Every structure is written in structure tokens, then in C-alpha cells.
Amino acid sequence: MTTGLIPGGHPPDPRPPAARTPHQRRDPVGRGALSADNRPRSSVITARAAASFEPVGRSVATARSFVRDTLQGWGFADIIDDAVVLTSELVTNAVVHAGTHADVLCLRSDDGVRIEVADRYPEREIPLQGSLATMGSPDREGGRGLQLCAAIAARWGVEYTPTHKQVWFRLDLPDRPVGTRAAGPSLPADLLPLADSRVRVAVVQIDRTGAISAWNEDAEELFGYAADQVTGKPLTDLAAWPHTPGTSTGIVEALQLSRWEGSYGIRAANGRVTPVYASHLRVRDTDGEPSTVCLLVRDHERAVLQTPLRVPASDTSTGSDGQSTDPFEVFIGSPAPDDLDGLLQRTVERARDMLDADSAFLLLATDDETELEVRASTGLPSARQRFARVPVEAGPGRYGSARMPAVHEDLLAVPGAVPLLSGTGMRSVVTVPLKVEGRLTGSLGVAAEAAGRYSNEEALRLQFAADRIALAVESARLGELERLRRGSLSFLVEASDLLAGTLDRDQTLALMAQMTVPTLATWCAVYTIADQASEPYLSYVLHEDEELIDGIKSLLSKVPPPDPVPTPGARVWAAPAEAAHDAALRSSMRSLGLTGGPTHQVASGIGPTLATASAVGGETVVLPLVARNRVIGMLTLGKPTDEHFRQEILELAEDLSRRAALALDNARLYSERTAISQALQRSLLPPELPSIDGVEVEVIYRAAGEGNEVGGDFYDVFPISDGAYGFAIGDVCGTGPNAAAVTGLARHALRLLAREGLSGPAVLERLNSAILDEGARSRFLTLLYGEMRPQADGSAELKVVCAGHPLPLRLRQDGTVEPAAEPQPLLGVMEDLELYEESVTLDPGDVLLCVTDGVTERREGTRMLGDDGLADVLTTCTGLTAGAVAARIMRAVERFASDAPSDDMAILAMRVA
């Protein structure tokens, strides 16, 4: 949504030129309606506010809030409800039915307000001829917007252009007596409002950017800051601003309104918040520069600035026949808001108006009727109660239960009788239950700042209204609950898929946090517990604003972690909010020189601390991560200052925590077993290759299968005696751990037998017997074993036994390639083997290449690399080092086929330097 507000003057028309010269006009229908071309133009436009809304369902509620806030700022409280109802219907037509953006323009004049709603679907025909019955019926979804315009607005009309369709309506202000606007009776002195001996009115001027530009002496006296300490600082650094649910008005928005009046707090120089009552007026200087003048008094002296109380509804709500009409009857007869929050907010506003109250609130019962959850309020100084929960039996009520109507004449006499109103200044309250078919579904209450305002008569009126609205509220609540449950099911399915898609611990932690923020919470922290004897460890922190993550992580690191209680469900954890509050207070006092240090101006250095305090200052809950009957961690969810979790959100978070705990434990088990497996596998490979004078040795090893470091292929190069070295490369039938077990047997047996001074054939014969002794676990083995002795003339003498293994290839300096041995029987099949040694002499520059069958049997479709293909590649390696030869062979094998290798591969290259 984009908005703009310009008080005073004649602002330019924001519509495109085509919209200013209507292409087509139609005469409106309805009482007192005028033609769009003939409406009076003598009213002077003194302010305007414009906004554009996207074609989505939530834009309707946002448009209602925009119009309500605008008219409140202009002081047009008398016509707010009618304007909001009409705007809601017209914006619904635009964004829901027409499916286009909706442009809303509010124009203020001295005697009323004109509101225009334009969509971008000019071809959509609206029946304007005939009686109102033909325009739409109450049973139809469409067509009611113009009916309401005809019934409520003083004047209305429809304008068409080639690109837009615009519906406008005008609401006139009720006639007010000339002269005195409001006056109160003469009162005895003891009934007059209480004030200090001298009433101080702080005058603060805020410039266009929201910074303080003027600060009078009374402001210095009230808040303790000298003018030079605060001039140029944003008012937001000092203001403790309330947020009433449903109004969407923050301090920035309030300073942009032409008028605003209400309560908030100012952080004084002593670090405490001083409650104030304020009246804001938006002005502009002779150069057209806008600013806001704020008049502030102590909150208990609000009578100095506060607008007189509204005229009781019974005096103003009279029908055409002179009989009084209950505002709830008007509400029930008008189109109800299309969302639960809008309906609840309308309900509390109507209840407040009906009993001429200062505030109203509505709580909904949980499914088991044991708790009440605050869902809407109006007139209260803070939104801290939203989604807060209180037990039903300890709720507001004469008999200590929310199931009965109750009247409290003075809350000061019964502290805590209505927990929601503690610290709000409300004195008298009346509450009634909302029931459907005898079942408690909620509680509706109104309150006033004066004591003794309500009696049983008001309780009966409110109960009558509650009975009429209870069914509509319950129906909307069930609809919202059904939508939430469908969304929750979809959320859990997606979360399960994501968590099941990884076995990496760190990625699982990140997924847990990312799925909760911002869907379930504003920030999240995950604690993990390594074992029963370990303390919880802060493993991951996430906030929807990445700039606050470091501050929250630092704060939580200084707070003792929550206890790892295995009890299911969410429990409140107050430590982070308390620590954040203390840190913010200390920072504020240091910046103001109240801790014995030097005095400073309001420093920007406290910004991060205050931001962190605000981020974690709301409700924080902890859910245990329990897997396989053991607490493996805690999932911590938090809200910013003054916010609470909905019960449905906590139930969804509990479901997510169970899935996340199992995924996290699976990742832990997988990581542990992978680490053990890799440690065992690494022990099957030689730790390092020996350095042989005059001979270069290079090995490349690739094990098939994810997570495998060793498979059925193996290699080894080791010293046997002075000047003699053994080398081996082999392939056990199969891959994976079973083949790796035989690999370990073969490699260690070769070293042991060779160092006993046995010849090559004798070594392999004894190894063959050891493999056969394994019985059912035995596997056949192909093995190339040899002994190398470097010679004084630079050559190397080799004795080789090739037991069923791919033959070693010798590359001469002239580029010829030839086998360096003959094939003999493999091991692990027959008991009696007749093996023999072959002698080979490698001249300087010659290369001996030994590979396993994973290299020669590399396939691409029906093609296979084979011995000949390997020899062809080796012929191109003349003059290369042993490392370069091995690397070129591996590249050729990898490029031969596009698929990943399915068999283990080992390459051993030895070159006589």
C-alpha cells in the first residue's frame, strides 16, 4: 500500500488526465443523489489522503484501517463507521470481484468528507437503472456496495473513463450548534480533575523527518532533557509508543496525520518512562514546510488536553421515527467484515460506543474452554495483551468465572479482578460471556476510566448484543481455524519433506530455524545437547531481520540456557526478556550519564541494545526436542515486545518440534556412524608412500559408493629391507564394507609376510590360505605383487607376480607400451597354487603402470575402455612424470563415460628417474 497525506490547500488531482475528464458518466441512484456533473463544487478541500491497494483479500482490511485512521486524524469521529462500511464494500468490489488495484482518495472539507474508490476494470457494467431491488439482494455477494451508498451517503455517484471506474460518496458532518462547541456543568472543587500545583504543557515540534526541532522549558522540566540534548534527535528515540490491535497506527503514521490525540510514554533522563497525554497538530510554515506540534501533559492531567467525552449513543442514535436505535442493530444489519479480525475489531468498537465506554475488549475461548485468548481491543494504551491467555475460571466475573455476566464498579477495590486491564487506568468494567448452544466461546467487556459507570442494566444490554453476535463470531472463528489447520497440514508436510531430504546436522539446524521464522515466530534459537552429561549449547540463532541476529546471539550467550525438561508442550521462558530489559536500561543510563560516568547526549550507540531488547522483549517459549526418549535439544521461539503466541501457533510448533527432533537425531546418528566408518576405512589404506631414491611413485584412488573411502580395491608401497621395496595393487570381489574387510586382511598380510623374507610366490600362497580360512566370508582376490630394487646405474630391478589381475604395462622412452608380466591364477579360489616370479628391468625414463579393473572396464553403453584403450592413452604419456601419467589416465577414464563410476578404481604409476 502506498499513501500520501497533504493537510490544507488545494492539492493536485492524483488521477491520470483520463480520469479527470470522464469518458462516460451515469446518473447515480439513491436518496439525495446528485449527478456527477452537477454536484456542488463550492466546498473547499482542506486536506486529502490517498492510498493504493493490491488486488488481494487482505487489502480490504488494510483499506478499512486507512480510512479509519485518516478520519480519526481529521476529527471526523461522527462519520467514521459509515465511511468504513462503504469503503469496505467498494474496495471489496475492486480487489476481490474486479480483481484490480483499488485507489482510495479521501478529501476533507469544512462540512464533510468525500471518498473516491477507483478500480481499473472500466468495462465492468453496474446496473444503475431501475429500483434498488434490481441492484442486488442481501443474499447475493455482489451489488451491495451501491445499495449502501444509496442508503447511507448524502450524495454518491459513478464515473467511467477508458482506464478506470470510480465510485464516490460524500458524508456530511452532523449539524453542530454555533458558538460553544462543548461545555461541562459547574462542579464542586473535590470533583474537578487532579493536577499539580502548576500544570506544565510540553511543546515539542517535529520536523518533516521526524526529528525534534523545538523543545520548550516545560518539556525540560517534565522529562529532564535540555533542549540541546534532544534537538535533531528522532522522537522515536524517546517515545514508548503503544499499538492498538486493528488500527495499524504507529508513531511515524501518527506524526503524519493532520490531528492525533492519545496516550503514550516518554523515556525521561532518569531512564523511566513518563506516561503522557498528547495532542498532535500538523502545520506548515510560510514556505510550505510541514511539521507537527505536539502538546504533552502528564497522563493524570489529561483533562487539560483531552477532547470532551462523546455524547452518549442513546442521544445520537435515533431513527427517522424518533425512536432510539441500538448501534449493534446497525452493525448486524450492515455487511459484516469478511475476516475474523475485522469482525472482532468492529464488535469491540460497537460495544464501546453502545455503552459510551473508554475501551472494550474481546477474548475467545480455546477448544477445551479452559483458557481465554485476547483477540481484539480498542481504547487500551498498549497491544501487549494481544493473544495473551488467562484461565476461564480466574477470568473477569463477579463469581470468579468468565461464564457469567459481571459488573465491577471499581477495579481499585478488587485488584487483579480483570487481569487484562491491570495498569491501564480503567476503573469500572462490565463483562459478558459469548455462548453458542450453551458452550462458552468467548467474553466481551467494556471499561471506563471513571468508577461506578455501569450497572446491571448495562450488563443486560451488552449481554443482548453479545448473544446476537456470538454465532457470527463463532462461525468466523471456525472458518479461520479450518483455514489455519489446512495451512498447518500443508506446512507440516513440506517441513517433513525438507527435513527428510538431508542428513547433515548443520543443514538440519538451519532448516529448523528457517521454517519457524517468520512463519511461527519473529526469532528462533536452537539449543543442542550432545549427551546426558553435557549442558545445552546454543547452536543456531535466526531473526527475520538479519541485522539483529548477532545482538540476540550475544544476549542469549549471557543467559543460562533453559532446563532440558522432556515434558511435551511449550513453556514460557522469561529469562531473555528480563536480560534484554536490564541491558537496555543499563545502556540508556550510561548514555544519559546516570551511572557515574560522563554525561552524553542521547547517543546512537544505544540503538542496537534497544533494538535487541525490543526484538526479544515479548513472549518467549521453549519446546523440547525429544527423540528416542531422550532430550537432544530445545527449540526456542520468541516474539518482539508486547506480543504473545496464539495457541494454534504453539500447537503447530509442537508438531514441528517432534519432526525436527527426529530429523536432528537421525543426522547426529548418521554423522557419528559416518565418522566411525571413515576412520576404519582410512586405517585400511597406507598412511603415506615411502620415498624411493631414483623412482617416482604416484597413486590415485577412487572408492565407489557415497561415504566410502575404501572399497574392494587397494594398493600399498612399503619398504621390505635395505634397498628393497614391495608394491601391490589388488581388487577384492565386490565393493563396500564387506570387500574392505578382505582388503585389510590382504594389505596387512602382505607387509607381514614380505618382511619375513619370503619370495613373491610364497607370500601370495600364504595369503591365499588366509583368505580361504575366512570360510563363507572369503572372497576371491586379484593381486599384482612385486618387489623393486633400484640399481646403481639408475635402472630398477623388479620381480612381479600377477595373480589374476590386469597386467601391468611398461612405457618405454620411445613410446612403446608392452605388458610387464603374464597372467596367473587369482587368489581365494583354489588351495594349491603354482605361482612364479617374473623379472623386469626398468631403464631410466621407463614407467610401470598398474591399475585395477575399474579402469579397464569403464563403460559407455556397449563400449568399454579395455586393455587396448588403456595402452593407447599410455602411449601419449612419454616424458611425463609419474604424477602426470596417473592424472592423464584418470582424466581419460572419467571422460570415457558421462555416468559416475560404478566400480572402485586404483592407479599406481612408478617412473624410473
Side-chain angles (χ1 to χ4, degrees):
M1 181 188 78
T2 57
T3 62
L5 185 65
I6 305 176
H10 297 270
D13 194 331
R15 294 166 292 169
R20 302 176 199 157
T21 308
H23 176 71
Q24 179 182 3
R25 300 183 183 270
R26 298 179 184 267
D27 294 333
V29 178
R31 61 176 178 81
L34 297 179
S35 168
D37 285 328
N38 299 323
R39 62 181 183 270
R41 302 181 182 273
S42 59
S43 298
V44 177
I45 302 301
T46 57
R48 62 180 291 274
S52 180
F53 302 93
E54 297 179 353
V56 293
R58 64 176 180 271
S59 294
V60 179
T62 309
R64 288 196 296 266
S65 298
F66 164 70
V67 172
R68 181 178 301 278
D69 293 344
T70 299
L71 298 190
Q72 281 179 338
W74 289 348
F76 288 174
D78 298 325
I79 59 174
I80 283 178
D81 290 337
D82 290 339
V84 169
V85 168
L86 296 179
T87 303
S88 178
E89 286 295 327
L90 298 179
V91 173
T92 300
N93 289 340
V95 303
V96 175
H97 302 308
T100 76
H101 283 72
D103 300 323
V104 180
L105 176 65
C106 301
L107 301 174
R108 182 185 71 182
S109 61
D110 294 334
D111 54 352
V113 64
R114 171 187 166 106
I115 297 179
E116 302 175 357
V117 179
D119 64 41
R120 303 171 189 180
Y121 193 68
E123 296 83 0
R124 188 178 181 87
E125 292 295 334
I126 297 182
L128 296 177
Q129 304 299 327
S131 65
L132 290 178
T134 64
M135 295 171 58
S137 67
D139 297 330
R140 294 181 55 211
E141 183 177 3
R144 293 181 298 187
L146 299 184
Q147 279 185 294
L148 289 174
C149 287
I152 297 176
R155 291 184 293 277
W156 66 280
V158 183
E159 299 178 2
Y160 286 90
T161 73
T163 58
H164 289 70
K165 179 180 88 271
Q166 175 184 286
V167 181
W168 61 270
F169 62 88
R170 178 179 174 82
L171 297 173
D172 294 335
L173 291 176
D175 293 335
R176 293 173 176 168
V178 178
T180 302
R181 178 173 179 179
S186 299
L187 296 175
D190 57 348
L191 296 181
L192 295 175
L194 181 65
D196 292 342
S197 58
R198 175 186 171 185
V199 176
R200 296 186 180 276
V201 180
V203 181
V204 182
Q205 192 157 1
I206 312 300
D207 64 19
R208 175 196 292 272
T209 65
I212 298 172
S213 59
W215 184 269
N216 73 340
E217 294 180 358
D218 279 358
E220 296 182 8
E221 184 66 26
L222 285 175
F223 309 122
Y225 299 113
D228 58 354
Q229 287 183 281
V230 296
T231 301
K233 301 294 183 183
L235 182 62
T236 53
D237 285 359
L238 304 179
W241 190 261
H243 293 273
T244 302
T247 63
S248 302
T249 303
I251 183 170
V252 176
E253 292 83 358
L255 292 176
Q256 296 296 320
L257 297 175
S258 59
R259 281 189 179 275
W260 185 90
E261 184 176 326
S263 299
Y264 54 93
I266 295 293
R267 295 185 183 88
N270 60 8
R272 296 183 179 181
V273 174
T274 301
V276 298
Y277 193 83
S279 176
H280 296 176
L281 177 65
R282 186 85 163 156
V283 299
R284 59 177 177 174
D285 59 19
T286 55
D287 297 327
E289 184 68 17
S291 62
T292 302
V293 177
C294 307
L295 306 180
L296 306 102
V297 298
R298 294 185 178 94
D299 193 60
H300 66 273
E301 298 172 343
R302 62 170 56 196
V304 176
L305 299 179
Q306 189 172 24
T307 302
L309 294 174
R310 297 178 298 275
V311 178
S314 58
D315 296 338
T316 58
S317 300
T318 56
S320 58
D321 55 358
Q323 298 180 352
S324 85
T325 59
D326 191 282
F328 255 83
E329 294 181 2
V330 178
F331 169 69
I332 294 297
S334 65
D338 55 0
D339 62 302
L340 177 61
D341 288 339
L343 176 62
L344 299 182
Q345 193 63 33
R346 176 74 65 82
T347 299
V348 296
E349 291 168 357
R350 290 295 189 178
R352 178 199 63 190
D353 294 341
M354 183 176 69
L355 297 186
D356 191 27
D358 295 307
S359 65
F361 54 89
L362 193 149
L363 303 87
L364 293 184
T366 55
D367 291 339
D368 57 4
E369 299 183 25
T370 59
E371 289 185 313
L372 294 169
E373 186 177 65
V374 180
R375 291 301 300 272
S377 64
T378 183
L380 296 179
S382 173
R384 66 181 184 275
Q385 300 89 357
R386 185 162 171 80
F387 295 123
R389 291 172 296 279
V390 296
V392 168
E393 298 304 324
R398 178 176 294 148
Y399 304 101
S401 172
R403 302 180 188 277
M404 301 290 292
V407 177
H408 292 277
E409 296 181 354
D410 192 349
L411 292 178
L412 294 182
V414 190
V418 185
L420 178 64
L421 300 180
S422 299
T424 62
M426 299 298 160
R427 295 282 298 276
S428 55
V429 60
V430 53
T431 63
V432 297
L434 275 68
K435 293 185 177 181
V436 175
E437 298 179 351
R439 182 173 60 86
L440 179 69
T441 60
S443 178
L444 176 63
V446 297
E449 295 177 350
R453 284 281 299 274
Y454 304 116
S455 62
N456 286 338
E457 180 181 353
E458 284 78 14
L460 289 174
R461 290 184 63 199
L462 189 61
Q463 184 67 71
F464 178 72
D467 291 341
R468 300 182 68 183
I469 196 61
L471 185 59
V473 170
E474 180 65 4
S475 176
R477 188 187 74 87
L478 292 176
E480 181 195 62
L481 186 60
E482 179 62 25
R483 290 191 296 271
L484 181 61
R485 285 175 177 171
R486 288 199 301 268
S488 299
L489 181 60
S490 175
F491 172 78
L492 290 175
V493 169
E494 182 179 358
S496 299
D497 289 342
L498 290 173
L499 291 171
T502 178
L503 287 173
D504 181 83
R505 176 183 176 276
D506 293 338
Q507 189 173 1
T508 302
L509 290 172
L511 283 174
M512 289 170 57
Q514 292 166 6
M515 285 185 292
T516 57
V517 177
T519 305
L520 304 182
T522 305
W523 64 272
C524 164
V526 183
Y527 290 84
T528 56
I529 303 175
D531 52 58
Q532 298 292 347
S534 301
E535 291 293 326
Y537 173 75
L538 182 61
S539 298
Y540 202 91
V541 176
L542 183 65
H543 190 282
E544 60 183 7
D545 184 353
E546 294 183 357
E547 294 182 356
L548 297 177
I549 293 177
D550 291 338
I552 297 176
K553 188 181 298 183
S554 175
L555 176 70
L556 293 179
S557 65
K558 301 174 184 177
V559 177
D563 296 330
V565 179
T567 306
R571 68 183 192 274
V572 176
W573 185 32
E578 294 174 355
H581 177 269
D582 293 343
L585 181 60
R586 289 193 300 270
S587 297
S588 298
M589 294 180 66
R590 283 196 301 268
S591 68
L592 298 175
L594 300 178
T595 58
T599 302
H600 302 283
Q601 293 187 355
V602 178
S604 60
I606 68 173
T609 303
L610 296 179
T612 301
S614 177
V616 302
E619 188 175 47
T620 302
V621 297
V622 178
L623 297 103
L625 298 174
V626 181
R628 298 175 176 90
N629 298 322
R630 186 174 74 87
V631 180
I632 63 171
M634 284 86 70
L635 178 63
T636 303
L637 306 179
K639 287 282 190 178
T641 300
D642 297 339
E643 290 195 24
H644 295 265
F645 286 97
R646 298 181 58 176
Q647 185 62 33
E648 294 88 348
I649 295 298
L650 293 180
E651 293 173 357
L652 179 58
E654 186 177 356
D655 288 338
L656 176 64
S657 68
R658 288 195 292 268
R659 290 164 170 79
L662 188 59
L664 184 60
D665 199 45
N666 288 339
R668 177 187 64 83
L669 292 174
Y670 177 79
S671 299
E672 290 179 356
R673 294 181 181 181
T674 299
I676 293 172
S677 174
Q678 291 175 348
L680 291 175
Q681 291 183 56
R682 283 192 293 268
S683 69
L684 302 178
L685 294 176
E688 60 184 10
L689 297 176
S691 176
I692 304 176
D693 292 337
V695 179
E696 299 173 358
V697 181
E698 184 66 28
V699 174
I700 296 180
Y701 186 87
R702 297 286 188 272
E706 182 179 359
N708 290 330
E709 292 193 13
V710 177
D713 291 5
F714 68 95
Y715 67 92
D716 201 359
V717 181
F718 55 92
I720 298 176
S721 60
D722 292 340
Y725 297 87
F727 64 91
I729 183 167
D731 185 0
V732 178
C733 175
T735 60
N738 292 330
V742 179
T743 294
L745 171 64
R747 195 177 71 82
H748 292 292
L750 284 175
R751 286 198 173 206
L752 178 63
L753 295 172
R755 288 171 177 171
E756 290 295 324
L758 299 176
S759 64
V763 169
L764 269 58
E765 288 169 3
R766 285 167 173 74
L767 176 59
N768 181 64
S769 299
I771 294 174
L772 292 175
D773 289 343
E774 291 291 309
R777 296 183 299 175
S778 66
R779 291 169 175 261
F780 64 81
L781 167 67
T782 68
L783 179 64
L784 172 65
Y785 173 75
E787 295 180 1
M788 174 186 292
R789 292 180 181 273
Q791 302 300 310
D793 60 358
S795 63
E797 294 292 338
L798 278 67
K799 293 181 179 180
V800 181
V801 180
C802 185
H805 198 77
L807 299 179
L809 299 179
R810 175 182 181 179
L811 172 65
R812 296 182 181 274
Q813 295 187 42
D814 58 3
T816 60
V817 175
E818 59 187 8
E822 295 180 355
Q824 300 183 53
L826 50 77
L827 307 182
V829 178
M830 299 180 295
E831 292 184 1
D832 297 328
L833 293 178
E834 294 183 1
L835 302 175
Y836 57 90
E837 286 183 336
E838 298 180 75
S839 297
V840 179
T841 300
L842 296 181
D843 297 326
D846 288 355
V847 175
L848 184 70
L849 176 66
C850 309
V851 300
T852 58
D853 60 5
V855 174
T856 57
E857 295 180 1
R858 177 75 163 145
R859 293 180 179 275
E860 173 69 17
T862 59
R863 297 187 307 120
M864 185 172 71
L865 180 62
D867 296 333
D868 294 338
L870 179 63
D872 292 340
V873 177
L874 185 58
T875 58
T876 66
C877 298
T878 303
L880 298 181
T881 64
V885 171
R888 178 169 294 186
I889 298 298
M890 179 55 70
R891 283 199 303 271
V893 172
E894 291 175 343
R895 294 173 181 175
F896 187 80
S898 57
D899 296 336
S902 59
D903 194 5
D904 304 328
M905 290 188 295
I907 300 173
L908 171 61
M910 295 183 291
R911 178 178 180 272
V912 179

